[in-house]
Amino acid sequence: MTLAVTALSVLAFLVAFQALGIVAKAREAIETSRQTARVMGDTTLDDDAKEAAVQNAAKTLMIGFGGLVLRIVGILGAAYVPIFLADALGIVPQDTTLGFMLRIDVILASTVIVIAGVWLLARMRR
């Protein structure tokens, strides 16, 4: 039963990861940083224009950082739900599940399975 709870936890993590759009938000932050670097290197702009652009980018990045933190908390919370429910219902104690999930063989196996699954889904979408 521990394996089933672990699988549900990993599945919840992946669903939340996709649903909360963390990759898109991270890409937005990267693009803001790149755009700001281009502005800083633009010789046609004066220092005031550059300063305004940097301040605007800083505000955007701070808001984006907060959004990423909230999304990460949501993803981790979603992954914890199956563990919590299994413990609350007396199916598998939380310590047993977490101990199982921290084993190196389980970490490696779940990583390989998730990467293979993501790769296959990407191939099927093309």
Side-chain angles (χ1 to χ4, degrees), residues 59-123:
K59 290 176 191 172
T60 302
L61 288 172
M62 290 304 292
I63 292 168
F65 174 74
L68 284 171
V69 168
L70 290 175
R71 282 172 172 78
I72 291 168
V73 168
I75 291 166
L76 294 176
Y80 183 69
V81 168
I83 298 166
F84 173 78
L85 289 175
D87 185 52
L89 297 172
I91 299 169
V92 180
Q94 173 180 301
D95 294 344
T96 302
T97 304
L98 293 175
F100 177 75
M101 292 175 82
L102 289 173
R103 288 180 16 195
I104 191 70
D105 60 326
V106 174
I107 292 170
L108 291 174
S110 61
T111 300
V112 168
I113 291 168
V114 167
I115 289 172
V118 169
W119 181 78
L120 284 172
L121 284 174
R123 293 267 299 165

Side-chain angles (χ1 to χ4, degrees), residues 20-41:
L20 293 176
I22 197 164
V23 173
K25 282 295 176 190
R27 286 185 177 149
E28 286 177 19
I30 291 168
E31 183 53 34
T32 299
S33 298
R34 286 181 179 161
Q35 194 173 24
T36 305
R38 284 192 293 271
V39 167
M40 290 302 297

